[in-house]
Amino acid sequence: MAINLEKGQRQAIDAPKFTVGLGWDSNNSSTGEAFDLDASVFLVGANGKIINDNHFVYYNNLKSPDGAVIHVGDNLTGAGDGDDEKITVDLSLISADVHEICFVVTIHHADTRRQNFGQVRNSFIRVIDQNNTELVKYELDEDFSIETAVEFGRLYKRNNEWKFEAVGQGMKGGLQDYLTKYN
């Protein structure tokens, strides 16, 4: 049975292999431009920074160097129900240098299209095991009216145990803000 998390709540993840699904819908009162939201993953070391550039997984780098994190592909429209983008994680393959895995969603060309997360609804992140059973889910219900990037959630390792945390933290500088934070 899935556990619905609130912002800041944490839950242990016991499954070594799982999928992280991210989903969203754009509001009808959009800017007239299509919305293209992109999931990105930062594999972070003990110092809070990505190990190296190859540990930034996104639509142009679909796989971490150890093969533990794989971005399944870029959904350009977000159309349809369910997960819009998926990332598979195999903790049995994860490099010992990785202490945290952060899941961020950004709006592609948000500035030129005059778009922000206030125009996005039904946003969520969830962890699904190999039997397609939902383990945890976090539905973002904040009004991110100026933010163009949001860290939906993160996995982190403490005492050799992996936990998922519902983060829900937005930034208005887009992906660049997160690249600065984790580089």
Side-chain angles (χ1 to χ4, degrees):
M1 185 169 129
I3 297 172
N4 289 317
L5 299 177
E6 298 292 325
K7 184 175 183 171
Q9 286 185 309
R10 298 172 172 100
Q11 177 64 39
I13 301 295
D14 297 327
K17 294 180 184 180
F18 50 87
T19 299
V20 175
L22 300 118
W24 51 79
D25 296 313
S26 60
N27 283 334
N28 292 332
S29 62
S30 68
T31 62
E33 295 277 346
F35 276 76
D36 177 10
L37 277 68
D38 297 314
S40 301
V41 185
F42 296 87
L43 286 85
V44 177
N47 64 355
K49 304 295 181 185
I50 58 172
I51 311 296
N52 63 45
D53 289 346
N54 293 324
H55 286 81
F56 169 48
V57 177
Y58 67 113
Y59 61 84
N60 275 336
N61 178 37
L62 296 175
K63 191 176 190 180
S64 64
D66 54 18
V69 175
I70 300 172
H71 192 302
V72 177
D74 189 16
N75 178 336
L76 299 176
T77 66
D81 293 332
D83 301 329
D84 291 306
E85 294 195 9
K86 296 179 182 179
I87 293 103
T88 61
V89 178
D90 185 345
L91 294 175
S92 69
L93 299 176
I94 200 88
S95 168
D97 295 341
V98 176
H99 291 261
E100 192 172 319
I101 304 170
C102 304
F103 301 92
V104 172
V105 177
T106 57
I107 301 173
H108 192 66
H109 295 304
D111 290 343
T112 58
R113 294 178 179 178
R114 300 179 325 275
Q115 296 172 340
N116 60 62
F117 270 92
Q119 300 161 316
V120 175
R121 58 186 168 78
N122 301 328
S123 301
F124 67 86
I125 182 170
R126 65 188 190 133
V127 177
I128 309 129
D129 70 11
Q130 289 187 296
N131 298 319
N132 209 31
T133 301
E134 189 175 272
L135 303 176
V136 297
K137 185 173 187 176
Y138 169 47
E139 297 180 31
L140 285 76
D141 56 6
E142 294 87 356
D143 179 21
F144 296 107
S145 60
I146 61 170
E147 291 84 353
T148 57
V150 176
E151 185 172 344
F152 278 40
R154 71 183 184 114
L155 287 161
Y156 65 95
K157 182 171 56 173
R158 291 281 169 358
N159 301 322
N160 289 324
E161 179 182 47
W162 285 93
K163 292 186 177 188
F164 177 83
E165 179 183 9
V167 176
Q169 178 183 359
M171 291 192 184
K172 60 183 177 179
L175 184 58
Q176 186 58 52
D177 279 357
Y178 283 101
L179 288 169
T180 301
K181 176 181 177 179
Y182 291 118
N183 263 326

